[in-house]
Amino acid sequence: MRDVAIIGVGAHPAGKFEDKRLKDLGREAVWKALGDAGVGAADVQVAYFGNSLGGLLTGQEGIRGQVVLQESGLGGIPVVNVENACASGATALRGAWLEVASGNADMALAVGAEKMFVGDTAKSISALAADSEIELSQMGMQFSAAYAIHPKTNLKGKMKEYGWTPADFAKVVVKNSHNGSLNPYAQHRKPLAEEDVLTSRMIADPLTLYMCSSIADGAAAAIVCPAEDAKRYTDKPPVRIGAIALTSGQYRLAGDTKPDMVAMTAGLAYEAAGVGPEDVDIAEVHDAMAPAELLIYERLGFCGPGEGPRLIDDGVTTIGGRRPVNPSGGLVARGHPVGATGLLQVAELVWQLRGEAGDRQAGNNPKVALTHNQGGLLLGMDSAACTVSILLR
Amino acid sequence: MDRVFDLRPNDYVMLVPGAFHVPEGPDDEAYLIGSRCRACGATVPHPMAVCPACVSADTMEQVAIGQRGRLYSFTIANAAPVGFTAPYFQAYVELPEGPRVFALISDDVPVEADALADGMEMELVIEPVRKDEQGRPVLTYKYRPVASNGTGA
Ligand SMILES: [Zn+2]
């Protein structure tokens, strides 16, 4: 396997862009990434395109990648369409990485794009539900409610077990909305106070409106090449891919004692990259519902069981802290255009590792970065797909 | 609506085809269609061909499951996908056989947080969630507390 570097990233902001099509969002991200890398469309030898909901929401059921890349001026090359729910973007980057690592290609593109505003909120909610096994979506499962009650997350149960309160969940939103207010790519730019979060509309007890990521349009892209070639294209510090671990859900029978899916995926990524949780300087994690960030801290090995709120209280995970988490604003503030999210995280961390993140630049001179995504729900109780990536400067 | 056992199979549609049994008469009972492994006993609350525990391809048998259970967790969803109307309950029910199954809650139960409590003994009912385009009831399985069995018929 060859060492692979990300030499360019680009993003279209997350938000509501009623007059933009999926191909407009994707094209903007692709061209920004090409410009950032200092390469042309003709230099790209293979492309992976991540999208999850475009079939149901835009009607473009097949060939979404070819459609977006044709609009971007890329044709003739292999285009691989990737659908992996909330992990689609990260899975696309994994494909591009392996193309270059294997020696099959010398320059690869990963794109994630999602168009969720289609003028009908119930339709968007249904499309999100369709990222779960059909027997669950047919039953009317609503994803925020399902997150609140699922045995893996069971928020009221965690409140009882750990003594967590709604104010602990609100802390995540206060931190991430502050970060989002500093991020021109963020969907929600308003910094929120604890009271704003706790008094916002109840979506599914204990989840209030501001604790839930919202519907968003958006896109992001990354260009990868062999690490030893990076200097040929760009003077910017290359960001090496240390690992991209991808797992699928395992059937969890009653009394299951197998390790948690996030912990297992993180373990694979740490091992492949030769780092441990203590080495991670900065992270972008999948806070589709704000309380998830607290559970993800422990599953990534950042703290012990139930200790998540303390990492925020002590300022460890704020942008000025020892290990900033979700400096972009995370899914709740930056936004969660499903198939784009993983690559939006990667773009943010590349900027952070290069010191280009502007007002929200982490103060700890980060060298080791981690992204985490998971999504989809299986009848066997696990998420369908989980990714943990390690990026290194 | 009519009692569900007065409905003939052509009179209704199933929200999740193959997931549950609709009673065919007053002496027949509703149940979930689960699967149990003859070799290792693993039990799942839905049809499944390969055992998730011992990975045998020819040992799974269909079983009636889920007539009773305990409420594991619940919340009220204030947003709904197409075909459902918020607010409505979402729940997981833990079955005596072990699995926890995603479920809706019977229309008998008022949609109020204090109408349910974790740990409650629950029973399976078949109820319509809506009518389809031809006016036929769309049936699904739901649960209700064992005590509140007044209006099901
Ligand atoms: Zn078995």
PDB file of all heavy atoms in Angstrom, chain A residues 54-82:
ATOM      1  N   GLY A  54     -30.672  11.015  -2.895  1.00  0.00           N
ATOM      2  CA  GLY A  54     -30.993  11.656  -4.171  1.00  0.00           C
ATOM      3  C   GLY A  54     -32.050  10.916  -4.979  1.00  0.00           C
ATOM      4  O   GLY A  54     -32.804  11.537  -5.726  1.00  0.00           O
ATOM      5  N   GLY A  55     -32.108   9.612  -4.840  1.00  0.00           N
ATOM      6  CA  GLY A  55     -33.106   8.853  -5.587  1.00  0.00           C
ATOM      7  C   GLY A  55     -34.508   9.251  -5.175  1.00  0.00           C
ATOM      8  O   GLY A  55     -35.341   9.648  -5.995  1.00  0.00           O
ATOM      9  N   LEU A  56     -34.773   9.176  -3.866  1.00  0.00           N
ATOM     10  CA  LEU A  56     -36.110   9.484  -3.375  1.00  0.00           C
ATOM     11  C   LEU A  56     -36.427  10.974  -3.457  1.00  0.00           C
ATOM     12  O   LEU A  56     -37.552  11.362  -3.725  1.00  0.00           O
ATOM     13  CB  LEU A  56     -36.242   9.034  -1.913  1.00  0.00           C
ATOM     14  CG  LEU A  56     -36.382   7.522  -1.707  1.00  0.00           C
ATOM     15  CD1 LEU A  56     -36.278   7.171  -0.230  1.00  0.00           C
ATOM     16  CD2 LEU A  56     -37.716   7.047  -2.272  1.00  0.00           C
ATOM     17  N   LEU A  57     -35.429  11.828  -3.215  1.00  0.00           N
ATOM     18  CA  LEU A  57     -35.731  13.251  -3.082  1.00  0.00           C
ATOM     19  C   LEU A  57     -35.653  14.028  -4.393  1.00  0.00           C
ATOM     20  O   LEU A  57     -36.360  15.008  -4.571  1.00  0.00           O
ATOM     21  CB  LEU A  57     -34.817  13.898  -2.034  1.00  0.00           C
ATOM     22  CG  LEU A  57     -35.158  13.505  -0.594  1.00  0.00           C
ATOM     23  CD1 LEU A  57     -34.222  14.191   0.390  1.00  0.00           C
ATOM     24  CD2 LEU A  57     -36.603  13.849  -0.255  1.00  0.00           C
ATOM     25  N   THR A  58     -34.762  13.619  -5.303  1.00  0.00           N
ATOM     26  CA  THR A  58     -34.663  14.363  -6.564  1.00  0.00           C
ATOM     27  C   THR A  58     -35.202  13.554  -7.734  1.00  0.00           C
ATOM     28  O   THR A  58     -35.393  14.098  -8.812  1.00  0.00           O
ATOM     29  CB  THR A  58     -33.200  14.746  -6.891  1.00  0.00           C
ATOM     30  OG1 THR A  58     -32.489  13.563  -7.290  1.00  0.00           O
ATOM     31  CG2 THR A  58     -32.499  15.375  -5.690  1.00  0.00           C
ATOM     32  N   GLY A  59     -35.432  12.259  -7.528  1.00  0.00           N
ATOM     33  CA  GLY A  59     -35.899  11.410  -8.618  1.00  0.00           C
ATOM     34  C   GLY A  59     -34.768  10.851  -9.470  1.00  0.00           C
ATOM     35  O   GLY A  59     -34.982   9.989 -10.311  1.00  0.00           O
ATOM     36  N   GLN A  60     -33.542  11.337  -9.226  1.00  0.00           N
ATOM     37  CA  GLN A  60     -32.383  10.813  -9.968  1.00  0.00           C
ATOM     38  C   GLN A  60     -31.935   9.530  -9.255  1.00  0.00           C
ATOM     39  O   GLN A  60     -31.011   9.543  -8.450  1.00  0.00           O
ATOM     40  CB  GLN A  60     -31.254  11.842  -9.995  1.00  0.00           C
ATOM     41  CG  GLN A  60     -30.038  11.406 -10.810  1.00  0.00           C
ATOM     42  CD  GLN A  60     -30.326  11.317 -12.288  1.00  0.00           C
ATOM     43  OE1 GLN A  60     -30.768  12.268 -12.913  1.00  0.00           O
ATOM     44  NE2 GLN A  60     -30.091  10.135 -12.873  1.00  0.00           N
ATOM     45  N   GLU A  61     -32.636   8.432  -9.531  1.00  0.00           N
ATOM     46  CA  GLU A  61     -32.397   7.197  -8.772  1.00  0.00           C
ATOM     47  C   GLU A  61     -31.028   6.597  -9.087  1.00  0.00           C
ATOM     48  O   GLU A  61     -30.291   6.231  -8.192  1.00  0.00           O
ATOM     49  CB  GLU A  61     -33.506   6.185  -9.077  1.00  0.00           C
ATOM     50  CG  GLU A  61     -33.313   4.823  -8.457  1.00  0.00           C
ATOM     51  CD  GLU A  61     -33.194   4.854  -6.945  1.00  0.00           C
ATOM     52  OE1 GLU A  61     -33.899   5.665  -6.307  1.00  0.00           O
ATOM     53  OE2 GLU A  61     -32.396   4.072  -6.393  1.00  0.00           O
ATOM     54  N   GLY A  62     -30.683   6.520 -10.366  1.00  0.00           N
ATOM     55  CA  GLY A  62     -29.400   5.918 -10.731  1.00  0.00           C
ATOM     56  C   GLY A  62     -28.419   6.976 -11.217  1.00  0.00           C
ATOM     57  O   GLY A  62     -28.755   8.157 -11.337  1.00  0.00           O
ATOM     58  N   ILE A  63     -27.211   6.570 -11.442  1.00  0.00           N
ATOM     59  CA  ILE A  63     -26.122   7.325 -12.095  1.00  0.00           C
ATOM     60  C   ILE A  63     -25.944   8.752 -11.565  1.00  0.00           C
ATOM     61  O   ILE A  63     -25.611   9.664 -12.305  1.00  0.00           O
ATOM     62  CB  ILE A  63     -26.282   7.358 -13.650  1.00  0.00           C
ATOM     63  CG1 ILE A  63     -27.563   8.096 -14.084  1.00  0.00           C
ATOM     64  CG2 ILE A  63     -26.264   5.943 -14.206  1.00  0.00           C
ATOM     65  CD1 ILE A  63     -27.580   8.480 -15.569  1.00  0.00           C
ATOM     66  N   ARG A  64     -26.157   8.935 -10.251  1.00  0.00           N
ATOM     67  CA  ARG A  64     -26.066  10.298  -9.702  1.00  0.00           C
ATOM     68  C   ARG A  64     -24.661  10.864  -9.856  1.00  0.00           C
ATOM     69  O   ARG A  64     -24.480  12.044 -10.143  1.00  0.00           O
ATOM     70  CB  ARG A  64     -26.456  10.290  -8.228  1.00  0.00           C
ATOM     71  CG  ARG A  64     -27.932  10.027  -8.033  1.00  0.00           C
ATOM     72  CD  ARG A  64     -28.255   9.784  -6.565  1.00  0.00           C
ATOM     73  NE  ARG A  64     -29.144   8.654  -6.429  1.00  0.00           N
ATOM     74  CZ  ARG A  64     -29.317   7.957  -5.316  1.00  0.00           C
ATOM     75  NH1 ARG A  64     -28.642   8.261  -4.229  1.00  0.00           N
ATOM     76  NH2 ARG A  64     -30.153   6.953  -5.281  1.00  0.00           N
ATOM     77  N   GLY A  65     -23.650  10.013  -9.659  1.00  0.00           N
ATOM     78  CA  GLY A  65     -22.273  10.475  -9.752  1.00  0.00           C
ATOM     79  C   GLY A  65     -21.920  10.928 -11.154  1.00  0.00           C
ATOM     80  O   GLY A  65     -21.333  11.997 -11.356  1.00  0.00           O
ATOM     81  N   GLN A  66     -22.305  10.123 -12.136  1.00  0.00           N
ATOM     82  CA  GLN A  66     -21.998  10.483 -13.528  1.00  0.00           C
ATOM     83  C   GLN A  66     -22.677  11.796 -13.905  1.00  0.00           C
ATOM     84  O   GLN A  66     -22.115  12.610 -14.631  1.00  0.00           O
ATOM     85  CB  GLN A  66     -22.445   9.357 -14.475  1.00  0.00           C
ATOM     86  CG  GLN A  66     -21.583   8.110 -14.415  1.00  0.00           C
ATOM     87  CD  GLN A  66     -22.023   7.131 -13.329  1.00  0.00           C
ATOM     88  OE1 GLN A  66     -22.763   7.480 -12.407  1.00  0.00           O
ATOM     89  NE2 GLN A  66     -21.550   5.901 -13.416  1.00  0.00           N
ATOM     90  N   VAL A  67     -23.903  11.991 -13.417  1.00  0.00           N
ATOM     91  CA  VAL A  67     -24.648  13.214 -13.729  1.00  0.00           C
ATOM     92  C   VAL A  67     -23.942  14.428 -13.137  1.00  0.00           C
ATOM     93  O   VAL A  67     -23.751  15.453 -13.814  1.00  0.00           O
ATOM     94  CB  VAL A  67     -26.094  13.083 -13.179  1.00  0.00           C
ATOM     95  CG1 VAL A  67     -26.792  14.433 -13.173  1.00  0.00           C
ATOM     96  CG2 VAL A  67     -26.883  12.069 -13.995  1.00  0.00           C
ATOM     97  N   VAL A  68     -23.543  14.329 -11.881  1.00  0.00           N
ATOM     98  CA  VAL A  68     -22.888  15.462 -11.215  1.00  0.00           C
ATOM     99  C   VAL A  68     -21.501  15.702 -11.806  1.00  0.00           C
ATOM    100  O   VAL A  68     -21.093  16.845 -12.028  1.00  0.00           O
ATOM    101  CB  VAL A  68     -22.807  15.220  -9.694  1.00  0.00           C
ATOM    102  CG1 VAL A  68     -21.919  16.259  -9.018  1.00  0.00           C
ATOM    103  CG2 VAL A  68     -24.199  15.231  -9.079  1.00  0.00           C
ATOM    104  N   LEU A  69     -20.771  14.641 -12.116  1.00  0.00           N
ATOM    105  CA  LEU A  69     -19.406  14.811 -12.611  1.00  0.00           C
ATOM    106  C   LEU A  69     -19.388  15.266 -14.067  1.00  0.00           C
ATOM    107  O   LEU A  69     -18.518  16.035 -14.472  1.00  0.00           O
ATOM    108  CB  LEU A  69     -18.607  13.526 -12.389  1.00  0.00           C
ATOM    109  CG  LEU A  69     -18.331  13.319 -10.891  1.00  0.00           C
ATOM    110  CD1 LEU A  69     -17.835  11.909 -10.608  1.00  0.00           C
ATOM    111  CD2 LEU A  69     -17.349  14.338 -10.358  1.00  0.00           C
ATOM    112  N   GLN A  70     -20.368  14.844 -14.841  1.00  0.00           N
ATOM    113  CA  GLN A  70     -20.478  15.376 -16.211  1.00  0.00           C
ATOM    114  C   GLN A  70     -20.654  16.891 -16.161  1.00  0.00           C
ATOM    115  O   GLN A  70     -20.005  17.644 -16.893  1.00  0.00           O
ATOM    116  CB  GLN A  70     -21.673  14.732 -16.919  1.00  0.00           C
ATOM    117  CG  GLN A  70     -21.976  15.329 -18.275  1.00  0.00           C
ATOM    118  CD  GLN A  70     -23.213  14.670 -18.879  1.00  0.00           C
ATOM    119  OE1 GLN A  70     -23.107  13.734 -19.660  1.00  0.00           O
ATOM    120  NE2 GLN A  70     -24.372  15.153 -18.487  1.00  0.00           N
ATOM    121  N   GLU A  71     -21.526  17.346 -15.257  1.00  0.00           N
ATOM    122  CA  GLU A  71     -21.771  18.781 -15.067  1.00  0.00           C
ATOM    123  C   GLU A  71     -20.498  19.499 -14.601  1.00  0.00           C
ATOM    124  O   GLU A  71     -20.327  20.688 -14.820  1.00  0.00           O
ATOM    125  CB  GLU A  71     -22.890  18.946 -14.028  1.00  0.00           C
ATOM    126  CG  GLU A  71     -23.250  20.368 -13.666  1.00  0.00           C
ATOM    127  CD  GLU A  71     -24.177  21.028 -14.683  1.00  0.00           C
ATOM    128  OE1 GLU A  71     -24.600  20.348 -15.632  1.00  0.00           O
ATOM    129  OE2 GLU A  71     -24.452  22.228 -14.512  1.00  0.00           O
ATOM    130  N   SER A  72     -19.609  18.736 -13.928  1.00  0.00           N
ATOM    131  CA  SER A  72     -18.374  19.320 -13.403  1.00  0.00           C
ATOM    132  C   SER A  72     -17.235  19.251 -14.410  1.00  0.00           C
ATOM    133  O   SER A  72     -16.122  19.700 -14.122  1.00  0.00           O
ATOM    134  CB  SER A  72     -17.954  18.578 -12.124  1.00  0.00           C
ATOM    135  OG  SER A  72     -19.022  18.498 -11.210  1.00  0.00           O
ATOM    136  N   GLY A  73     -17.469  18.652 -15.585  1.00  0.00           N
ATOM    137  CA  GLY A  73     -16.440  18.571 -16.601  1.00  0.00           C
ATOM    138  C   GLY A  73     -15.575  17.336 -16.520  1.00  0.00           C
ATOM    139  O   GLY A  73     -14.492  17.278 -17.109  1.00  0.00           O
ATOM    140  N   LEU A  74     -16.031  16.328 -15.760  1.00  0.00           N
ATOM    141  CA  LEU A  74     -15.268  15.088 -15.649  1.00  0.00           C
ATOM    142  C   LEU A  74     -16.039  13.969 -16.340  1.00  0.00           C
ATOM    143  O   LEU A  74     -17.154  13.635 -15.916  1.00  0.00           O
ATOM    144  CB  LEU A  74     -15.023  14.713 -14.188  1.00  0.00           C
ATOM    145  CG  LEU A  74     -13.914  15.481 -13.472  1.00  0.00           C
ATOM    146  CD1 LEU A  74     -14.461  16.745 -12.852  1.00  0.00           C
ATOM    147  CD2 LEU A  74     -13.261  14.614 -12.409  1.00  0.00           C
ATOM    148  N   GLY A  75     -15.437  13.415 -17.357  1.00  0.00           N
ATOM    149  CA  GLY A  75     -16.077  12.300 -18.046  1.00  0.00           C
ATOM    150  C   GLY A  75     -15.019  11.321 -18.514  1.00  0.00           C
ATOM    151  O   GLY A  75     -13.828  11.636 -18.491  1.00  0.00           O
ATOM    152  N   GLY A  76     -15.460  10.142 -18.920  1.00  0.00           N
ATOM    153  CA  GLY A  76     -14.533   9.156 -19.457  1.00  0.00           C
ATOM    154  C   GLY A  76     -13.879   8.288 -18.405  1.00  0.00           C
ATOM    155  O   GLY A  76     -13.594   7.123 -18.648  1.00  0.00           O
ATOM    156  N   ILE A  77     -13.658   8.845 -17.229  1.00  0.00           N
ATOM    157  CA  ILE A  77     -12.969   8.100 -16.165  1.00  0.00           C
ATOM    158  C   ILE A  77     -13.952   7.178 -15.442  1.00  0.00           C
ATOM    159  O   ILE A  77     -15.164   7.360 -15.545  1.00  0.00           O
ATOM    160  CB  ILE A  77     -12.329   9.068 -15.143  1.00  0.00           C
ATOM    161  CG1 ILE A  77     -13.408   9.983 -14.516  1.00  0.00           C
ATOM    162  CG2 ILE A  77     -11.220   9.883 -15.795  1.00  0.00           C
ATOM    163  CD1 ILE A  77     -12.931  10.780 -13.323  1.00  0.00           C
ATOM    164  N   PRO A  78     -13.438   6.198 -14.685  1.00  0.00           N
ATOM    165  CA  PRO A  78     -14.359   5.396 -13.868  1.00  0.00           C
ATOM    166  C   PRO A  78     -15.038   6.273 -12.815  1.00  0.00           C
ATOM    167  O   PRO A  78     -14.366   7.059 -12.136  1.00  0.00           O
ATOM    168  CB  PRO A  78     -13.444   4.369 -13.184  1.00  0.00           C
ATOM    169  CG  PRO A  78     -12.141   4.423 -13.901  1.00  0.00           C
ATOM    170  CD  PRO A  78     -12.043   5.774 -14.528  1.00  0.00           C
ATOM    171  N   VAL A  79     -16.359   6.168 -12.730  1.00  0.00           N
ATOM    172  CA  VAL A  79     -17.113   6.862 -11.671  1.00  0.00           C
ATOM    173  C   VAL A  79     -17.853   5.788 -10.884  1.00  0.00           C
ATOM    174  O   VAL A  79     -18.575   4.980 -11.462  1.00  0.00           O
ATOM    175  CB  VAL A  79     -18.114   7.869 -12.266  1.00  0.00           C
ATOM    176  CG1 VAL A  79     -19.054   8.397 -11.180  1.00  0.00           C
ATOM    177  CG2 VAL A  79     -17.370   9.023 -12.934  1.00  0.00           C
ATOM    178  N   VAL A  80     -17.639   5.770  -9.576  1.00  0.00           N
ATOM    179  CA  VAL A  80     -18.263   4.760  -8.721  1.00  0.00           C
ATOM    180  C   VAL A  80     -19.265   5.453  -7.804  1.00  0.00           C
ATOM    181  O   VAL A  80     -18.905   6.377  -7.070  1.00  0.00           O
ATOM    182  CB  VAL A  80     -17.210   4.014  -7.876  1.00  0.00           C
ATOM    183  CG1 VAL A  80     -17.879   2.935  -7.012  1.00  0.00           C
ATOM    184  CG2 VAL A  80     -16.138   3.401  -8.772  1.00  0.00           C
ATOM    185  N   ASN A  81     -20.512   5.016  -7.874  1.00  0.00           N
ATOM    186  CA  ASN A  81     -21.549   5.585  -7.014  1.00  0.00           C
ATOM    187  C   ASN A  81     -21.560   4.871  -5.668  1.00  0.00           C
ATOM    188  O   ASN A  81     -21.573   3.646  -5.606  1.00  0.00           O
ATOM    189  CB  ASN A  81     -22.922   5.450  -7.686  1.00  0.00           C
ATOM    190  CG  ASN A  81     -23.073   6.429  -8.822  1.00  0.00           C
ATOM    191  OD1 ASN A  81     -23.225   7.628  -8.588  1.00  0.00           O
ATOM    192  ND2 ASN A  81     -22.985   5.941 -10.050  1.00  0.00           N
ATOM    193  N   VAL A  82     -21.564   5.663  -4.603  1.00  0.00           N
ATOM    194  CA  VAL A  82     -21.492   5.107  -3.248  1.00  0.00           C
ATOM    195  C   VAL A  82     -22.720   5.535  -2.458  1.00  0.00           C
ATOM    196  O   VAL A  82     -23.022   6.726  -2.371  1.00  0.00           O
ATOM    197  CB  VAL A  82     -20.237   5.634  -2.523  1.00  0.00           C
ATOM    198  CG1 VAL A  82     -20.256   5.203  -1.069  1.00  0.00           C
ATOM    199  CG2 VAL A  82     -18.967   5.163  -3.211  1.00  0.00           C
TER     200      VAL A  82
END
